[in-house]
Amino acid sequence: MGSPTHLISIHLLSVPYSRVIAITRSSSKKLSRRQPAGPGKGSRLGPPPAHACPEAETEIISLLPSATNGRRDRRTWWSIPSRHTPTRTTRTSSTAAAMAAAAFLCARAAAALRPPSRGLSRRLLASRVAAASSSGEGGGGVEFQGKVGFLGLGIMGAPMASNLIKAGCDVTVWNRTKSKCDPLLSLGAKYEPSPAEVASSCDVTFAMLADPQSAAEVACGAGGAAEGLAPGKGYVDVSTVDGATSKLIEERITSTGASFLEAPVSGSKKPAEDGLLIFLTAGDESLYKRVAPLLDVMGKSRFYLGDVGNGAAMKLVVNMVMGSMMVSFSEGLLLSEKVGLDPNTLVEVISQGAISAPMFSLKGPSMVKAAYPTAFPLKHQQKDLRLALALAESVSQSIPTVAAANELYKAAKSLGLADHDFSAVIEALKAKAESSQQQ
């Protein structure tokens, strides 16, 4: 009689949370009845051999970040026999055997949880450039060739440019405050003293600026990028601006014969660092295809939305929803505490329900402690709400919830919280409550 075999299945799902959950259960069902579709040939467990007796299965679900760019449904399956082989005189319960095998694999999972070495990170990023190019979507089957410029090295721009450098791109940078260029120069970037000189020396130039005025000035002003552009070059504005500003920049850029793409991003500091941004692009489609490999280094997904202005509008709608959600979440935290509930428990409850969102889970614990480490500055959130209100006004759409939220962000700015994370809007609600009690 053949020896029983205990099979371990491991899902590797690319999500930004790292934990390992071991679930042990007994089953007499054959694995061939519960095979998931693997990502490719040879990636699924085949039916167990005729002599196998799968009395137990342990499923370890590993929620691990990886080089799969944040996309889900990437799975790897392993079949591993347990070390214990039952005999006529000694039998180990299926649960114990499964747990022993689970412990064996947990060590491997723990190793996977450790951050990759810098060299490995560089190889992974480079492989993503090559993969995007070879897919035929981005560079026509050819890895991006040419020099890349990057203007604006703030909270978002610096990690985005850094990822391009680590991927092996030839990057030239500029920033108003030159000292912010130093970390990028140490990674191998070049420096030019003006946006015009960056654009002149590069094939494609990206710009990540704080607001519409800065975006227009860097692109169109004296010494701006447009002065260094020419036919064959491209300009990609990844700043969050209104549609009118984006169209103004497009007009100036295309007047030089260069191509223009607006590509505002959804995501804050951590996604920028991890290369998990979402690009909302519009404009020259040939430029979109040309820079797709670069967008794939900096982001996990990208959308082409047609004419210039559509990318800006989509970003404003997304940030409008986000800003309103944060206000509602802040109200919930304060109310729960006021009625004697633990706000930390509220965060946990929300994280397990239908309204679960990474934003709540990540920022909630800090908000309870009145700590607001900046990932997305409050002043930028208020700016986006102001622009969203103007967008709504232009099409006669009423958005009263957003209007109310905007007033709270303005109040938070008046409290000196402009440069704090936008979750600091909760302080405006606290101040409002205190003011009401004093009256």
Side-chain angles (χ1 to χ4, degrees), residues 13-25:
L13 304 185
S14 296
V15 298
Y17 304 103
S18 301
R19 58 194 179 103
V20 178
I21 306 169
I23 306 167
T24 304
R25 63 188 177 190

Side-chain angles (χ1 to χ4, degrees), residues 15-17 65-66 68-71 125 128 150 154-164 166 208 264-279 294-301 315 318-319 322 357-359 362-363 373-377 421-422:
V15 298
Y17 304 103
S66 72
T68 55
N69 215 9
R71 300 182 178 91
L125 284 164
R128 283 162 63 177
F150 211 103
I155 290 176
M156 299 293 289
M160 293 170 71
S162 176
N163 282 336
L164 291 174
K166 292 174 182 177
M208 171 57 91
V265 299
S266 181
S268 57
K269 180 180 179 181
K270 189 64 165 62
E273 292 172 344
D274 295 341
L276 298 177
L277 295 169
I278 301 169
F279 286 91
L294 303 177
L295 300 181
D296 289 342
V297 167
M298 298 182 286
K300 67 178 179 180
S301 60
K315 175 60 190 294
V318 169
N319 277 18
M322 181 176 72
M359 179 176 76
L362 292 173
K363 297 186 183 294
T374 306
F376 181 48
D421 189 75
F422 78 110

Side-chain angles (χ1 to χ4, degrees), residues 116-383:
S117 66
R118 179 174 296 181
L120 177 59
S121 297
R122 296 173 76 98
R123 291 195 298 274
L124 290 176
L125 284 164
S127 70
R128 283 162 63 177
V129 177
S133 301
S134 63
S135 70
E137 286 186 294
V142 179
E143 184 175 339
F144 182 85
Q145 300 292 327
K147 297 180 179 180
V148 181
F150 211 103
L151 310 175
L153 302 175
I155 290 176
M156 299 293 289
M160 293 170 71
S162 176
N163 282 336
L164 291 174
I165 297 168
K166 292 174 182 177
C169 297
D170 185 347
V171 178
T172 300
V173 298
W174 171 88
N175 193 75
R176 281 195 179 98
T177 305
K178 186 179 182 298
S179 60
K180 289 190 176 182
C181 297
D182 293 342
L184 282 299
L185 299 180
S186 68
L187 292 177
K190 301 180 181 68
Y191 171 78
E192 291 290 349
S194 72
E197 290 168 278
V198 171
S200 176
S201 64
C202 295
D203 300 282
V204 172
T205 300
F206 288 84
M208 171 57 91
L209 289 311
D211 52 48
Q213 181 179 354
S214 299
E217 182 180 346
V218 168
C220 311
E227 294 183 3
L229 293 172
K233 294 182 180 292
Y235 189 80
V236 184
D237 192 348
V238 294
S239 315
T240 297
V241 301
D242 57 288
T245 299
S246 194
K247 291 173 183 177
L248 174 68
I249 295 173
E250 176 200 26
E251 183 178 356
R252 178 68 179 94
I253 297 301
T254 55
S255 71
T256 69
S259 302
F260 175 76
L261 187 74
E262 66 172 356
V265 299
S266 181
S268 57
K269 180 180 179 181
K270 189 64 165 62
E273 292 172 344
D274 295 341
L276 298 177
L277 295 169
I278 301 169
F279 286 91
L280 308 172
T281 73
D284 191 298
E285 189 170 8
S286 63
L287 179 57
Y288 166 72
K289 293 178 179 179
R290 181 182 174 191
V291 301
L294 303 177
L295 300 181
D296 289 342
V297 167
M298 298 182 286
K300 67 178 179 180
S301 60
R302 47 187 161 84
F303 296 84
Y304 180 74
L305 304 172
D307 295 335
V308 169
N310 290 343
M314 181 67 80
K315 175 60 190 294
L316 292 179
V317 171
V318 169
N319 277 18
M320 173 193 84
V321 172
M322 181 176 72
S324 301
M325 285 172 62
M326 179 55 73
V327 168
S328 181
F329 182 58
S330 298
E331 291 176 334
L333 289 176
L334 294 178
L335 178 59
S336 67
E337 187 172 19
K338 192 76 171 179
V339 299
L341 298 173
D342 182 352
N344 286 300
T345 302
L346 174 66
V347 174
E348 186 175 355
V349 170
I350 289 177
S351 71
Q352 297 185 31
I355 61 171
S356 173
M359 179 176 76
F360 298 151
S361 299
L362 292 173
K363 297 186 183 294
S366 294
M367 292 171 69
V368 172
K369 299 175 182 176
Y372 315 105
T374 306
F376 181 48
L378 185 143
K379 63 184 178 183
H380 291 170
Q381 176 63 80
Q382 192 276 317
K383 176 261 297 183

